[in-house]
PDB file of all heavy atoms in Angstrom:
ATOM      1  N   TYR A  19      57.987  39.852 -59.537  1.00  0.00           N
ATOM      2  CA  TYR A  19      57.770  38.400 -59.585  1.00  0.00           C
ATOM      3  C   TYR A  19      56.272  38.070 -59.689  1.00  0.00           C
ATOM      4  O   TYR A  19      55.876  37.183 -60.426  1.00  0.00           O
ATOM      5  CB  TYR A  19      58.382  37.720 -58.360  1.00  0.00           C
ATOM      6  CG  TYR A  19      59.884  37.586 -58.477  1.00  0.00           C
ATOM      7  CD1 TYR A  19      60.726  38.591 -58.036  1.00  0.00           C
ATOM      8  CD2 TYR A  19      60.452  36.451 -59.052  1.00  0.00           C
ATOM      9  CE1 TYR A  19      62.100  38.486 -58.146  1.00  0.00           C
ATOM     10  CE2 TYR A  19      61.815  36.336 -59.175  1.00  0.00           C
ATOM     11  CZ  TYR A  19      62.640  37.349 -58.720  1.00  0.00           C
ATOM     12  OH  TYR A  19      63.994  37.235 -58.850  1.00  0.00           O
ATOM     13  N   ILE A  26      52.683  34.855 -66.960  1.00  0.00           N
ATOM     14  CA  ILE A  26      52.899  33.479 -67.444  1.00  0.00           C
ATOM     15  C   ILE A  26      51.582  32.702 -67.386  1.00  0.00           C
ATOM     16  O   ILE A  26      51.201  32.014 -68.330  1.00  0.00           O
ATOM     17  CB  ILE A  26      54.006  32.791 -66.603  1.00  0.00           C
ATOM     18  CG1 ILE A  26      55.368  33.395 -66.952  1.00  0.00           C
ATOM     19  CG2 ILE A  26      54.009  31.275 -66.822  1.00  0.00           C
ATOM     20  CD1 ILE A  26      56.510  32.975 -66.046  1.00  0.00           C
ATOM     21  N   GLU A  29      49.130  33.909 -70.084  1.00  0.00           N
ATOM     22  CA  GLU A  29      49.536  33.424 -71.412  1.00  0.00           C
ATOM     23  C   GLU A  29      49.075  31.967 -71.589  1.00  0.00           C
ATOM     24  O   GLU A  29      48.527  31.586 -72.619  1.00  0.00           O
ATOM     25  CB  GLU A  29      51.065  33.557 -71.521  1.00  0.00           C
ATOM     26  CG  GLU A  29      51.715  32.918 -72.734  1.00  0.00           C
ATOM     27  CD  GLU A  29      51.342  33.602 -74.045  1.00  0.00           C
ATOM     28  OE1 GLU A  29      50.906  34.766 -73.990  1.00  0.00           O
ATOM     29  OE2 GLU A  29      51.456  32.946 -75.109  1.00  0.00           O
ATOM     30  N   PRO A  80      37.515  32.171 -48.405  1.00  0.00           N
ATOM     31  CA  PRO A  80      38.729  31.423 -48.067  1.00  0.00           C
ATOM     32  C   PRO A  80      39.305  30.684 -49.278  1.00  0.00           C
ATOM     33  O   PRO A  80      40.433  30.186 -49.226  1.00  0.00           O
ATOM     34  CB  PRO A  80      38.236  30.406 -47.027  1.00  0.00           C
ATOM     35  CG  PRO A  80      36.794  30.197 -47.354  1.00  0.00           C
ATOM     36  CD  PRO A  80      36.284  31.475 -47.974  1.00  0.00           C
ATOM     37  N   GLU A  81      38.547  30.591 -50.357  1.00  0.00           N
ATOM     38  CA  GLU A  81      39.019  29.926 -51.578  1.00  0.00           C
ATOM     39  C   GLU A  81      38.140  30.391 -52.733  1.00  0.00           C
ATOM     40  O   GLU A  81      37.155  31.114 -52.512  1.00  0.00           O
ATOM     41  CB  GLU A  81      38.977  28.402 -51.423  1.00  0.00           C
ATOM     42  CG  GLU A  81      37.610  27.831 -51.099  1.00  0.00           C
ATOM     43  CD  GLU A  81      36.895  27.236 -52.287  1.00  0.00           C
ATOM     44  OE1 GLU A  81      37.455  26.342 -52.910  1.00  0.00           O
ATOM     45  OE2 GLU A  81      35.766  27.690 -52.593  1.00  0.00           O
ATOM     46  N   LEU A 102      37.033  28.648 -66.940  1.00  0.00           N
ATOM     47  CA  LEU A 102      37.237  29.947 -66.308  1.00  0.00           C
ATOM     48  C   LEU A 102      38.502  29.969 -65.450  1.00  0.00           C
ATOM     49  O   LEU A 102      38.903  28.926 -64.914  1.00  0.00           O
ATOM     50  CB  LEU A 102      36.050  30.261 -65.393  1.00  0.00           C
ATOM     51  CG  LEU A 102      34.677  30.363 -66.063  1.00  0.00           C
ATOM     52  CD1 LEU A 102      33.580  30.379 -65.011  1.00  0.00           C
ATOM     53  CD2 LEU A 102      34.604  31.603 -66.933  1.00  0.00           C
ATOM     54  N   LEU A 144      47.606  21.769 -67.668  1.00  0.00           N
ATOM     55  CA  LEU A 144      47.720  23.234 -67.540  1.00  0.00           C
ATOM     56  C   LEU A 144      48.430  23.604 -66.226  1.00  0.00           C
ATOM     57  O   LEU A 144      49.354  24.430 -66.200  1.00  0.00           O
ATOM     58  CB  LEU A 144      46.306  23.841 -67.594  1.00  0.00           C
ATOM     59  CG  LEU A 144      46.098  25.309 -67.229  1.00  0.00           C
ATOM     60  CD1 LEU A 144      47.009  26.227 -68.028  1.00  0.00           C
ATOM     61  CD2 LEU A 144      44.646  25.724 -67.464  1.00  0.00           C
ATOM     62  N   LYS A 151      56.829  26.595 -66.409  1.00  0.00           N
ATOM     63  CA  LYS A 151      57.141  27.926 -66.964  1.00  0.00           C
ATOM     64  C   LYS A 151      57.664  28.898 -65.916  1.00  0.00           C
ATOM     65  O   LYS A 151      58.349  29.856 -66.268  1.00  0.00           O
ATOM     66  CB  LYS A 151      55.904  28.522 -67.631  1.00  0.00           C
ATOM     67  CG  LYS A 151      55.438  27.710 -68.800  1.00  0.00           C
ATOM     68  CD  LYS A 151      55.297  28.572 -70.024  1.00  0.00           C
ATOM     69  CE  LYS A 151      55.062  27.626 -71.178  1.00  0.00           C
ATOM     70  NZ  LYS A 151      55.215  28.173 -72.451  1.00  0.00           N
ATOM     71  N   SER A 155      60.044  23.310 -62.028  1.00  0.00           N
ATOM     72  CA  SER A 155      59.790  21.884 -62.292  1.00  0.00           C
ATOM     73  C   SER A 155      60.753  20.955 -61.529  1.00  0.00           C
ATOM     74  O   SER A 155      60.400  19.834 -61.213  1.00  0.00           O
ATOM     75  CB  SER A 155      59.844  21.592 -63.789  1.00  0.00           C
ATOM     76  OG  SER A 155      61.060  22.046 -64.298  1.00  0.00           O
ATOM     77  N   GLU A 161      51.646  15.184 -57.575  1.00  0.00           N
ATOM     78  CA  GLU A 161      51.108  13.934 -57.012  1.00  0.00           C
ATOM     79  C   GLU A 161      49.648  13.825 -57.393  1.00  0.00           C
ATOM     80  O   GLU A 161      48.922  14.821 -57.385  1.00  0.00           O
ATOM     81  CB  GLU A 161      51.214  13.972 -55.481  1.00  0.00           C
ATOM     82  CG  GLU A 161      52.648  14.067 -55.000  1.00  0.00           C
ATOM     83  CD  GLU A 161      52.744  14.054 -53.482  1.00  0.00           C
ATOM     84  OE1 GLU A 161      51.716  14.263 -52.805  1.00  0.00           O
ATOM     85  OE2 GLU A 161      53.856  13.826 -52.989  1.00  0.00           O
ATOM     86  N   TYR A 175      34.453   4.016 -45.950  1.00  0.00           N
ATOM     87  CA  TYR A 175      34.371   4.610 -44.614  1.00  0.00           C
ATOM     88  C   TYR A 175      34.125   3.536 -43.554  1.00  0.00           C
ATOM     89  O   TYR A 175      34.653   3.625 -42.449  1.00  0.00           O
ATOM     90  CB  TYR A 175      33.269   5.673 -44.549  1.00  0.00           C
ATOM     91  CG  TYR A 175      33.691   7.014 -45.134  1.00  0.00           C
ATOM     92  CD1 TYR A 175      32.788   8.075 -45.222  1.00  0.00           C
ATOM     93  CD2 TYR A 175      34.993   7.218 -45.578  1.00  0.00           C
ATOM     94  CE1 TYR A 175      33.176   9.299 -45.758  1.00  0.00           C
ATOM     95  CE2 TYR A 175      35.375   8.429 -46.117  1.00  0.00           C
ATOM     96  CZ  TYR A 175      34.480   9.470 -46.204  1.00  0.00           C
ATOM     97  OH  TYR A 175      34.861  10.671 -46.728  1.00  0.00           O
ATOM     98  N   ASP A 224      42.629   1.813 -52.991  1.00  0.00           N
ATOM     99  CA  ASP A 224      42.455   0.348 -53.106  1.00  0.00           C
ATOM    100  C   ASP A 224      40.993  -0.048 -52.983  1.00  0.00           C
ATOM    101  O   ASP A 224      40.664  -1.235 -53.006  1.00  0.00           O
ATOM    102  CB  ASP A 224      43.239  -0.361 -51.985  1.00  0.00           C
ATOM    103  CG  ASP A 224      44.716  -0.047 -52.062  1.00  0.00           C
ATOM    104  OD1 ASP A 224      45.208   0.170 -53.187  1.00  0.00           O
ATOM    105  OD2 ASP A 224      45.371   0.006 -50.998  1.00  0.00           O
ATOM    106  N   LYS A 245      52.105  13.913 -71.829  1.00  0.00           N
ATOM    107  CA  LYS A 245      53.494  13.904 -71.343  1.00  0.00           C
ATOM    108  C   LYS A 245      53.643  14.662 -70.012  1.00  0.00           C
ATOM    109  O   LYS A 245      54.512  15.521 -69.829  1.00  0.00           O
ATOM    110  CB  LYS A 245      54.451  14.478 -72.377  1.00  0.00           C
ATOM    111  CG  LYS A 245      54.496  13.669 -73.665  1.00  0.00           C
ATOM    112  CD  LYS A 245      55.730  14.003 -74.478  1.00  0.00           C
ATOM    113  CE  LYS A 245      56.032  13.011 -75.568  1.00  0.00           C
ATOM    114  NZ  LYS A 245      54.916  12.515 -76.358  1.00  0.00           N
ATOM    115  N   ARG A 263      36.666  11.620 -56.962  1.00  0.00           N
ATOM    116  CA  ARG A 263      37.564  11.015 -57.967  1.00  0.00           C
ATOM    117  C   ARG A 263      38.943  11.698 -58.010  1.00  0.00           C
ATOM    118  O   ARG A 263      39.599  11.788 -57.012  1.00  0.00           O
ATOM    119  CB  ARG A 263      36.876  11.002 -59.332  1.00  0.00           C
ATOM    120  CG  ARG A 263      35.589  10.174 -59.279  1.00  0.00           C
ATOM    121  CD  ARG A 263      34.949  10.065 -60.613  1.00  0.00           C
ATOM    122  NE  ARG A 263      33.987   8.979 -60.612  1.00  0.00           N
ATOM    123  CZ  ARG A 263      33.137   8.737 -61.579  1.00  0.00           C
ATOM    124  NH1 ARG A 263      33.133   9.477 -62.656  1.00  0.00           N
ATOM    125  NH2 ARG A 263      32.312   7.722 -61.491  1.00  0.00           N
ATOM    126  N   PHE A 266      44.691  16.119 -57.099  1.00  0.00           N
ATOM    127  CA  PHE A 266      46.120  16.293 -57.410  1.00  0.00           C
ATOM    128  C   PHE A 266      46.699  17.463 -56.625  1.00  0.00           C
ATOM    129  O   PHE A 266      45.969  18.355 -56.190  1.00  0.00           O
ATOM    130  CB  PHE A 266      46.349  16.475 -58.918  1.00  0.00           C
ATOM    131  CG  PHE A 266      45.549  17.584 -59.541  1.00  0.00           C
ATOM    132  CD1 PHE A 266      46.071  18.863 -59.684  1.00  0.00           C
ATOM    133  CD2 PHE A 266      44.269  17.346 -60.011  1.00  0.00           C
ATOM    134  CE1 PHE A 266      45.340  19.893 -60.268  1.00  0.00           C
ATOM    135  CE2 PHE A 266      43.516  18.361 -60.596  1.00  0.00           C
ATOM    136  CZ  PHE A 266      44.046  19.630 -60.725  1.00  0.00           C
ATOM    137  N   SER A 290      25.611  21.016 -58.035  1.00  0.00           N
ATOM    138  CA  SER A 290      24.220  20.816 -57.589  1.00  0.00           C
ATOM    139  C   SER A 290      24.066  21.148 -56.105  1.00  0.00           C
ATOM    140  O   SER A 290      23.032  21.671 -55.686  1.00  0.00           O
ATOM    141  CB  SER A 290      23.734  19.395 -57.905  1.00  0.00           C
ATOM    142  OG  SER A 290      24.576  18.458 -57.315  1.00  0.00           O
ATOM    143  N   ILE A 291      25.092  20.921 -55.309  1.00  0.00           N
ATOM    144  CA  ILE A 291      25.030  21.317 -53.883  1.00  0.00           C
ATOM    145  C   ILE A 291      24.806  22.825 -53.768  1.00  0.00           C
ATOM    146  O   ILE A 291      24.105  23.308 -52.894  1.00  0.00           O
ATOM    147  CB  ILE A 291      26.339  20.916 -53.141  1.00  0.00           C
ATOM    148  CG1 ILE A 291      26.402  19.404 -52.956  1.00  0.00           C
ATOM    149  CG2 ILE A 291      26.469  21.624 -51.788  1.00  0.00           C
ATOM    150  CD1 ILE A 291      27.710  18.912 -52.377  1.00  0.00           C
ATOM    151  N   TYR A 357      62.757  65.772 -61.577  1.00  0.00           N
ATOM    152  CA  TYR A 357      61.719  66.740 -61.202  1.00  0.00           C
ATOM    153  C   TYR A 357      62.257  68.155 -61.064  1.00  0.00           C
ATOM    154  O   TYR A 357      61.517  69.114 -61.145  1.00  0.00           O
ATOM    155  CB  TYR A 357      61.108  66.391 -59.833  1.00  0.00           C
ATOM    156  CG  TYR A 357      60.620  64.980 -59.682  1.00  0.00           C
ATOM    157  CD1 TYR A 357      60.843  64.286 -58.500  1.00  0.00           C
ATOM    158  CD2 TYR A 357      59.903  64.367 -60.701  1.00  0.00           C
ATOM    159  CE1 TYR A 357      60.380  63.008 -58.332  1.00  0.00           C
ATOM    160  CE2 TYR A 357      59.427  63.077 -60.537  1.00  0.00           C
ATOM    161  CZ  TYR A 357      59.672  62.394 -59.345  1.00  0.00           C
ATOM    162  OH  TYR A 357      59.214  61.155 -59.188  1.00  0.00           O
ATOM    163  N   ILE A 359      65.749  70.987 -61.461  1.00  0.00           N
ATOM    164  CA  ILE A 359      67.018  71.289 -62.146  1.00  0.00           C
ATOM    165  C   ILE A 359      68.179  70.812 -61.277  1.00  0.00           C
ATOM    166  O   ILE A 359      68.216  71.062 -60.073  1.00  0.00           O
ATOM    167  CB  ILE A 359      67.134  72.816 -62.381  1.00  0.00           C
ATOM    168  CG1 ILE A 359      66.045  73.244 -63.380  1.00  0.00           C
ATOM    169  CG2 ILE A 359      68.520  73.196 -62.870  1.00  0.00           C
ATOM    170  CD1 ILE A 359      65.850  74.751 -63.478  1.00  0.00           C
ATOM    171  N   LYS A 386      68.664  75.044 -80.380  1.00  0.00           N
ATOM    172  CA  LYS A 386      68.440  76.155 -81.318  1.00  0.00           C
ATOM    173  C   LYS A 386      68.373  75.628 -82.747  1.00  0.00           C
ATOM    174  O   LYS A 386      67.660  76.141 -83.586  1.00  0.00           O
ATOM    175  CB  LYS A 386      69.571  77.176 -81.171  1.00  0.00           C
ATOM    176  CG  LYS A 386      69.231  78.241 -80.142  1.00  0.00           C
ATOM    177  CD  LYS A 386      70.264  79.355 -80.164  1.00  0.00           C
ATOM    178  CE  LYS A 386      70.268  80.059 -78.812  1.00  0.00           C
ATOM    179  NZ  LYS A 386      71.617  80.395 -78.362  1.00  0.00           N
TER     180      LYS A 386
END
Side-chain angles (χ1 to χ4, degrees):
Y19 283 89
I26 288 171
E29 171 67 20
E81 58 101 57
L102 299 168
L144 169 53
K151 297 233 170 195
S155 54
E161 298 182 345
Y175 280 177
D224 300 329
K245 297 197 165 42
R263 299 184 163 171
F266 54 94
S290 57
I291 288 174
Y357 308 139
I359 294 168
K386 269 189 204 140

